[in-house]
Amino acid sequence: MGFKHRTTGMASIHSLPVELMDSILQNLDRKDIKTCMLVCHAWLSWAERIFHSRPRITSAQSMERFIQFAKAKGIGGSVRHLHIVGKINYSSMDPTPWILEAPARLGPVTPNVLSLHFQNVEGVAFTEMFWV
């Protein structure tokens, strides 16, 4: 039993509405989305957009790589949820200043972000200027 197409009987995945495909892919974890990217060219563009809609930035280097990739591929507008992850063993003796720079650096590249999630940033000294 499958999705019936009016004229040919069975429908292919390519005849599904984009919204339905997006809804399906958004419920997958990152590993499964990566697998979908390998299925075929048609799935690559859908899965790639969903995969990059919620990046995890874990260092200054990963932030720079993401910025370059987003500009080159034009996927920055697809980002909806941005995750900034600090060091698990954070200490005030070992600062992570890139976390304070992340919103200002990533904002212009990701104009459609709906949520910004910080993890492992308990020791980061956020100032009032950070939120402006």
Side-chain angles (χ1 to χ4, degrees):
M1 179 181 226
F3 180 76
K4 295 285 184 179
H5 192 271
R6 284 187 235 162
T7 58
T8 61
M10 289 298 286
S12 75
I13 192 75
H14 307 293
S15 65
L16 291 175
V18 173
E19 296 83 3
L20 181 57
M21 197 66 183
D22 283 350
S23 181
I24 292 167
L25 291 174
Q26 286 174 0
N27 288 301
L28 300 177
D29 62 27
R30 291 180 67 82
K31 179 179 166 258
D32 291 335
I33 293 172
K34 281 184 177 181
T35 302
C36 290
M37 290 160 73
L38 301 173
V39 172
C40 67
H41 287 288
W43 282 36
L44 175 62
S45 61
W46 279 324
E48 192 172 49
R49 189 169 32 80
I50 298 299
F51 182 80
H52 295 297
S53 71
R54 45 186 182 217
R56 293 174 57 86
I57 308 298
T58 59
S59 68
Q61 293 80 15
S62 73
M63 180 169 61
E64 289 306 317
R65 282 192 309 267
F66 177 77
I67 290 170
Q68 290 174 1
F69 180 79
K71 287 179 178 178
K73 291 279 196 167
I75 55 96
S78 297
V79 175
R80 296 294 182 264
H81 309 284
L82 190 55
H83 300 269
I84 309 294
V85 183
K87 297 176 184 175
I88 292 175
N89 58 351
Y90 181 86
S91 121
S92 60
M93 302 303 290
D94 189 18
T96 46
W98 69 269
I99 291 174
L100 296 173
E101 299 168 4
R105 295 288 321 277
L106 293 165
V109 181
T110 58
N112 299 320
V113 168
L114 300 173
S115 68
L116 182 59
H117 177 81
F118 289 95
Q119 184 178 342
N120 299 332
V121 295
E122 290 80 12
V124 176
F126 292 102
T127 64
E128 186 175 318
M129 290 301 296
F130 174 81
W131 302 107
V132 176

